[in-house]
């Protein structure tokens, strides 16, 4: 049992995690070593992967008759709740840390490009002069 020591120090900890510790087991069996230096990259990768999975899940069919989910203006509150639960389920399944070493999908690349554009805009807005001319702002 890989959780033997954890069960001794904190009884019930592994069971608190979803599906009999499936998430914790995937953390233990991951192909890479998490360190203090790569912790930010680890969580950023998970966030991008989760955003891409959520985008993919929100466009996937809900029933066999509908090719995609209805736009939000045509959904009922129960359809909305079902969609949220479905997206949560798909995102949770796709958040396996063992998949971090796989190359990003095209959706993940799109999310990364969007984040880069947003970051570039923020930096430009902070560093650019107010009037468009560096001499005029003094």
């Amino acid at each position: 049992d890989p959780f033997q020591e954890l069960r001794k120090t904190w009884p019930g900890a592994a069971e608190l995690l979803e599906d009999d510790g499936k998430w914790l087991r995937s953390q233990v069996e991951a192909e890479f070593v998490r360190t203090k230096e790569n912790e930010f990259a680890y969580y950023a990768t998970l966030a991008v992967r989760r955003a891409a999975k959520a985008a993919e899940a929100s466009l996937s069919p809900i029933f066999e008759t509908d090719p995609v989910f209805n736009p939000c203006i045509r959904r009922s509150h129960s359809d909305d709740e079902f969609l949220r639960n479905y997206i949560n389920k798909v995102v949770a399944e796709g958040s396996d840390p063992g998949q971090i070493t796989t190359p990003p999908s095209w959706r993940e690349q799109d999310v990364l490009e969007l984040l880069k554009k947003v970051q570039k805009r923020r930096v430009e807005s902070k560093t650019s002069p107010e009037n468009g001319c560096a001499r005029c702002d003094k």
Side-chain angles (χ1 to χ4, degrees):
D1 182 22
F3 307 121
Q4 184 176 5
E5 188 173 328
L6 178 63
R7 291 183 204 283
K8 287 179 188 174
T9 57
W10 184 12
E15 287 77 18
L16 288 176
L17 299 171
E18 58 197 11
D19 298 328
D20 297 323
K22 187 192 317 186
W23 181 81
L24 185 58
R25 185 177 309 280
S26 67
Q27 290 278 336
V28 171
E29 296 171 351
E31 297 175 1
F32 60 95
V33 178
R34 283 176 53 194
T35 63
K36 188 176 182 178
E37 289 80 21
N38 71 4
E39 194 75 4
F40 182 74
Y42 168 77
Y43 285 112
T45 303
L46 277 181
V48 168
R49 184 149 292 173
R50 289 172 66 91
K53 283 286 187 187
E56 183 180 347
S58 66
L59 297 174
S60 61
I62 187 170
F63 304 112
E64 287 77 24
T65 57
D66 291 340
V68 293
F69 286 111
N70 286 329
C72 62
I73 56 173
R74 300 186 66 191
R75 286 195 306 254
S76 68
H77 70 283
S78 58
D79 287 343
D80 241 8
E81 185 67 29
F82 181 80
L83 176 60
R84 276 194 297 277
N85 292 336
Y86 176 74
I87 291 172
N88 286 340
K89 186 181 100 180
V90 170
V91 167
E93 290 170 357
S95 297
D96 181 18
Q99 298 174 352
I100 286 183
T101 56
T102 59
S105 69
W106 66 270
R107 285 194 203 291
E108 292 170 25
Q109 289 286 10
D110 287 349
V111 172
L112 284 171
E113 291 300 319
L114 176 67
L115 290 174
K116 286 179 187 177
K117 287 179 184 176
V118 168
Q119 184 178 18
K120 183 179 176 184
R121 270 240 163 114
R122 284 184 178 170
V123 169
E124 285 177 355
S125 69
K126 288 183 178 181
T127 59
S128 64
E130 292 177 20
N131 297 327
C133 175
R135 287 182 287 168
C136 299
D137 285 342
K138 291 184 179 183

